């Protein structure tokens, strides 16, 4: 496991909170676009080949990054009347625990501001969130700075449960060394907000490791590229299947969520009435020839060791 100390002192944490003005949050781009907006020596700048992350739908390295004005003109997806067991991307409108525990992440890499998704998980320190490794560290490249979690994020930059800065970050060794997609997992121990642990404010989801493969899953996140706008929690639901290309041990979920959804939790044994479930994976990447399937890493022994270390930080 590889660890990074982030905003350690109260003064450091306040500087991060002050950095994220509403204007900066509104302009932040999905982390999957890192390679398109920087010259990039890290892993993400090389992902425009055979395999790409969710944000790169319809994008190539030579194309311009979509502008904010283009996004505001796109019609919003409205919430379904009741949760569905099969959807490739619908606004979550049923409330429950998941609407509190899932949130947006704001971070800075290579001098540019980005967004991801994440979820709180049950832990000894009451401070833990799980997200994608590439939302914490750019593969073998640099660690993210100004890392802030906003649970229950709402339209217009609303933070109903406060904002929580990162104090310690963790990724598996294979992700830190080479950006191995099998290990695209990040765990972040948060600082308290106004003296309260995030778990005490919004609650937590369960997490499991070495779970049976396949089965029904629900994936959540805050996609920000059209036809979504990043202001609402969106979910996908369906049966998991193995990577048909055999390039990873990941599982796939039918899901059309776009950039910004990276790091969002995938839950099994999910109760749609209460919004409570067990996290067994997260949104990681898509193949360039299949934009309707999201892939997520299998939470095995490495993810379990990461969780154990981060949960005690």
């Amino acid at each position: 496991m590889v660890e990074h100390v982030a905003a350690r002192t109260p003064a450091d944490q306040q500087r991060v909170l002050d950095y994220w003005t509403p204007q900066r949050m509104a302009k932040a781009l999905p982390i999957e676009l890192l390679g398109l907006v920087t010259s990039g020596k890290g892993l993400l700048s090389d992902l425009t080949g055979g395999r790409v992350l969710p944000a790169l739908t319809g994008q190539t390295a030579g194309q311009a990054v979509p502008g904010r004005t283009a996004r505001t003109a796109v019609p919003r997806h409205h919430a379904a009347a009741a949760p569905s067991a099969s959807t490739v991307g619908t606004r979550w409108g049923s409330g429950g625990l998941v609407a509190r525990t899932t949130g947006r992440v704001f971070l800075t890499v290579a001098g540019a501001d980005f967004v991801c998704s994440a979820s709180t998980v049950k832990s000894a320190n009451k401070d833990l969130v799980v997200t994608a490794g590439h939302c914490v560290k750019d593969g073998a490249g640099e660690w993210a700075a100004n890392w802030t979690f906003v649970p229950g994020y709402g339209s217009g930059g609303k933070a109903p449960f406060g904002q929580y800065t990162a104090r310690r970050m963790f990724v598996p060794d294979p992700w830190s060394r080479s950006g191995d997609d099998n290990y695209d997992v990040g765990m972040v121990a948060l600082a308290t907000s106004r003296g309260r642990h995030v778990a005490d404010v919004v609650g937590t989801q369960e997490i499991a490791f070495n779970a049976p493969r396949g089965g029904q899953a629900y994936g959540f996140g805050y996609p920000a590229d059209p036809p979504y706008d990043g202001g609402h929690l969106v979910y996908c639901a369906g049966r998991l299947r193995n990577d048909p290309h055999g390039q990873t041990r990941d599982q796939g979920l039918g899901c059309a969520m776009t950039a910004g959804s990276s790091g969002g939790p995938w839950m099994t044994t999910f109760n749609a009435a209460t919004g409570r479930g067990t996290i067994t994976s997260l949104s990681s990447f898509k193949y360039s020839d299949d934009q309707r399937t999201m892939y997520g890493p299998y939470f095995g022994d490495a993810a379990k060791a990461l969780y154990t270390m981060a949960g005690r930080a």
Side-chain angles (χ1 to χ4, degrees), residues 36-69:
L36 299 181
V37 297
T38 67
S39 57
K41 295 181 180 179
L43 169 78
L44 298 183
S45 61
D46 300 323
L47 286 176
T48 54
R51 187 159 71 234
V52 295
L53 292 169
L56 300 183
T57 306
Q59 299 290 326
T60 64
Q63 290 179 309
V65 176
R68 301 301 300 183
T69 54

Side-chain angles (χ1 to χ4, degrees), residues 1-301:
M1 306 301 109
V2 183
E3 177 184 355
H4 173 71
V5 177
R8 177 186 298 175
T9 69
D12 292 337
Q13 294 155 13
Q14 189 59 51
R15 277 193 290 272
V16 173
L17 293 174
D18 291 342
Y19 178 84
W20 287 112
T21 63
Q23 293 76 20
R24 278 202 173 105
M25 286 184 169
K27 292 179 179 179
L29 293 169
I31 188 62
E32 300 90 341
L33 297 180
L34 175 61
L36 299 181
V37 297
T38 67
S39 57
K41 295 181 180 179
L43 169 78
L44 298 183
S45 61
D46 300 323
L47 286 176
T48 54
R51 187 159 71 234
V52 295
L53 292 169
L56 300 183
T57 306
Q59 299 290 326
T60 64
Q63 290 179 309
V65 176
R68 301 301 300 183
T69 54
R71 294 180 190 176
T72 58
V74 176
R76 295 179 177 178
H77 278 212
H78 295 286
S84 171
S86 180
T87 177
V88 296
T90 302
R91 188 189 300 180
W92 180 258
S94 298
L97 183 64
V98 69
R100 298 165 59 94
T101 57
T102 312
R104 291 190 93 184
V105 174
F106 295 87
L107 61 146
T108 303
V109 180
D113 296 331
F114 298 98
V115 291
C116 277
S117 300
S119 174
T120 61
V121 289
K122 186 177 181 179
S123 65
N125 59 19
K126 298 184 178 182
D127 294 329
L128 195 61
V129 294
V130 60
T131 187
H134 68 265
C135 295
V136 176
K137 188 176 187 290
D138 181 17
E142 67 183 80
W143 290 89
N146 299 321
W147 207 97
T148 303
F149 177 64
V150 184
Y153 181 89
S155 181
K158 295 178 182 177
F161 306 110
Q163 299 174 206
Y164 299 79
T165 60
R167 52 184 180 83
R168 294 169 72 178
M169 302 174 171
F170 303 83
V171 295
D173 290 335
W175 178 259
S176 184
R177 287 197 306 266
S178 62
D180 186 336
D181 285 327
N182 291 297
Y183 300 92
D184 187 13
V185 183
M187 302 273 183
V188 178
L190 303 172
T192 57
S193 177
R194 298 182 179 180
R196 301 186 68 190
H197 298 281
V198 68
D200 292 333
V201 177
V202 303
T204 59
Q205 300 289 350
E206 297 289 337
I207 189 168
F209 307 94
N210 296 306
R213 298 179 70 89
Q216 177 75 15
Y218 288 75
F220 294 85
Y222 284 87
D225 269 1
Y228 307 99
D229 63 9
H232 303 278
L233 182 62
V234 175
Y235 78 105
C236 297
R239 306 286 294 183
L240 296 176
R241 63 178 186 270
N242 290 332
D243 181 348
H245 303 283
Q247 294 190 31
T248 69
R249 296 189 300 275
D250 291 23
Q251 296 184 95
L253 174 66
C255 190
M257 281 199 284
T258 58
S261 59
S262 278
W266 290 13
M267 299 190 213
T268 54
T269 63
F270 180 72
N271 186 321
T274 63
R276 187 179 297 274
T278 301
I279 299 174
T280 55
S281 188
L282 51 83
S283 293
S284 175
F285 74 88
K286 288 184 176 182
Y287 286 99
S288 57
D289 60 353
D290 180 10
Q291 292 299 320
R292 293 180 69 82
T293 304
M294 187 82 75
Y295 289 88
Y298 179 75
F299 282 10
D301 291 340

